[in-house]
Amino acid sequence: MPGHLVITTEDGATLEVRVSGEPISIGRAPDSTIRSDDRRTSRRHVEVRRLSDGGYEIEDLGSSYGTTLNGRAITRERLNHLDLIGCGGLRAQFYLDPEVPMPEGAAEDLSQHASELRAQIHKLIEENAAVRGDLGKAREAQTLSERRHEEAHDEAARLREVVAELRREGDEAKARIETLGQELRNARGSASARQAVEGEEAAEKAAQKEAQRQIERLRERAVELEQQQGQWALREQALKKEVERLGEMAQKLQQREADLQKAMKPALMRIAQLQDELEKARIKLAQTEGDLADLRKR
């Protein structure tokens, strides 16, 4: 007689799964049939399987918090209709389903439906792989943009320091020119020292011209660096927007991946159910053929 489990989480979510040829495993391990994130559930917590005589049994797989059957702790026991199972934060009830005759042609329909579901799952897996690839590319581009953004920020800071240094040098040159001019004026004020300072005056004029040229060069360099700094600031802003865009893209791809994984789970469960029904239909067909052969012999 076929059986199934109705599993309920602490927040009220329910899941129904049939127990057929393959055992039903519950745990935190990724390959568990029913995967739970509850910390009280072990990686391989409990397993429900069908026996060769048509019955069912449950076995605790050495879990940390144990498994209960109708309120008492168990290791391995046979399951009966309406038994209540507890493992971690999950609660499950076992049901034995009454035998229902399989309509003519239903086995072929179930087989075709299972094939269609497999094709859908294969398509979902391919789409999931494509999404993972796009997500990886988006993350790489985001990392590159973040690195470029940091480099632009550092370069802009360096340029600001260079501009400030050039301005300080210009101020010092101006102060030096003023000092030299004052010394020259003082020297000119002394008639007795006029001849002594004529050579110095010519040298001071040449130095003043050279200092003025240096100031002009520093000013031009400061303007050039300020323009470059503005360009780096614009580039930094553009890279920041690109980082934000790639971050949003990565979030959307992660959500799409989660949606695909969520869509695959009921399809896989439906395939397991269809395989179980197909197996029962084949058994029923074999029994019917046997009965028909017996009737012919009579």
Side-chain angles (χ1 to χ4, degrees):
M1 184 176 294
H4 70 276
L5 291 169
V6 176
I7 302 169
T8 307
T9 63
E10 289 182 322
D11 57 6
T14 60
L15 175 67
E16 181 176 347
V17 57
R18 291 190 175 275
V19 185
S20 57
E22 294 294 329
I24 302 299
S25 60
I26 301 175
R28 289 189 291 108
D31 59 347
S32 299
T33 309
I34 307 299
R35 188 174 181 274
S36 172
D37 293 329
D38 187 90
R39 63 180 182 82
R40 294 165 294 177
T41 305
S42 298
R43 283 180 54 79
R44 304 191 182 279
H45 196 110
V46 70
E47 189 173 84
V48 177
R49 63 179 69 92
R50 188 171 186 175
L51 301 174
S52 58
D53 61 1
Y56 298 85
E57 73 171 7
I58 181 172
E59 180 182 3
D60 183 88
L61 304 177
S63 63
S64 300
Y65 287 85
T67 302
T68 61
L69 182 64
N70 299 323
R72 57 186 178 82
I74 57 99
T75 300
R76 177 191 290 183
E77 286 206 19
R78 195 178 183 91
L79 286 171
N80 296 308
H81 184 54
L82 299 181
D83 277 350
L84 292 174
I85 302 166
C87 57
L90 299 179
R91 296 292 178 269
Q93 189 162 22
F94 178 73
Y95 294 88
L96 285 173
D97 303 329
E99 291 283 0
V100 178
M102 183 66 64
E104 183 179 356
E108 290 76 7
D109 293 340
L110 288 174
S111 179
Q112 182 179 0
H113 192 188
S115 299
E116 292 174 355
L117 281 175
R118 289 192 186 96
Q120 292 176 8
I121 289 175
H122 183 69
K123 184 178 179 181
L124 287 173
I125 291 173
E126 290 181 346
E127 186 176 354
N128 192 15
V131 168
R132 284 178 178 270
D134 292 340
L135 180 59
K137 293 178 181 178
R139 285 174 175 168
E140 290 177 0
Q142 182 181 8
T143 301
L144 179 60
S145 295
E146 289 175 350
R147 186 168 62 251
R148 289 178 176 174
H149 174 263
E150 292 176 357
E151 292 173 354
H153 182 76
D154 294 341
E155 181 65 15
R158 188 187 67 81
L159 290 174
R160 285 192 289 268
E161 293 177 357
V162 172
V163 170
E165 181 64 25
L166 289 174
R167 286 175 177 171
R168 284 195 297 270
E169 292 178 1
D171 293 338
E172 291 174 358
K174 288 179 181 179
R176 177 61 178 163
I177 290 173
E178 291 178 0
T179 301
L180 292 173
Q182 184 62 40
E183 292 176 354
L184 182 59
R185 286 191 294 271
N186 292 337
R188 286 175 178 174
S190 176
S192 60
R194 182 178 299 275
Q195 292 180 351
V197 299
E198 284 182 354
E200 293 182 3
E201 183 177 344
E204 290 296 336
K205 287 182 179 180
Q208 186 176 2
K209 290 181 180 180
E210 179 62 27
Q212 190 65 34
R213 285 194 296 269
Q214 186 176 359
I215 288 174
E216 291 299 325
R217 287 196 298 270
L218 290 173
R219 285 177 178 172
E220 292 175 358
R221 179 58 177 164
V223 171
E224 180 183 348
L225 289 173
E226 285 177 348
Q227 293 176 349
Q228 190 175 359
Q229 180 183 353
Q231 293 175 356
W232 276 103
L234 292 175
R235 184 181 177 188
E236 180 182 0
Q237 185 177 4
L239 286 171
K240 185 177 180 180
K241 290 181 179 179
E242 180 67 11
V243 169
E244 292 175 355
R245 185 187 70 81
L246 289 171
E248 292 176 357
M249 180 179 175
Q251 290 180 355
K252 290 179 180 179
L253 288 172
Q254 287 175 340
Q255 183 61 43
R256 178 58 177 161
E257 181 181 0
D259 293 343
L260 286 172
Q261 290 177 347
K262 185 177 180 181
M264 287 171 62
K265 189 171 183 178
L268 289 170
M269 294 178 59
R270 179 58 178 161
I271 280 185
Q273 178 183 356
L274 289 171
Q275 287 176 337
D276 183 47
E277 293 177 1
L278 183 59
E279 181 183 356
K280 290 186 292 184
R282 287 172 177 168
I283 294 174
K284 187 69 175 178
L285 180 60
Q287 292 175 348
T288 303
E289 290 176 348
D291 295 341
L292 182 59
D294 292 339
L295 289 173
R296 287 174 177 173
K297 291 178 180 179
R298 294 176 185 175

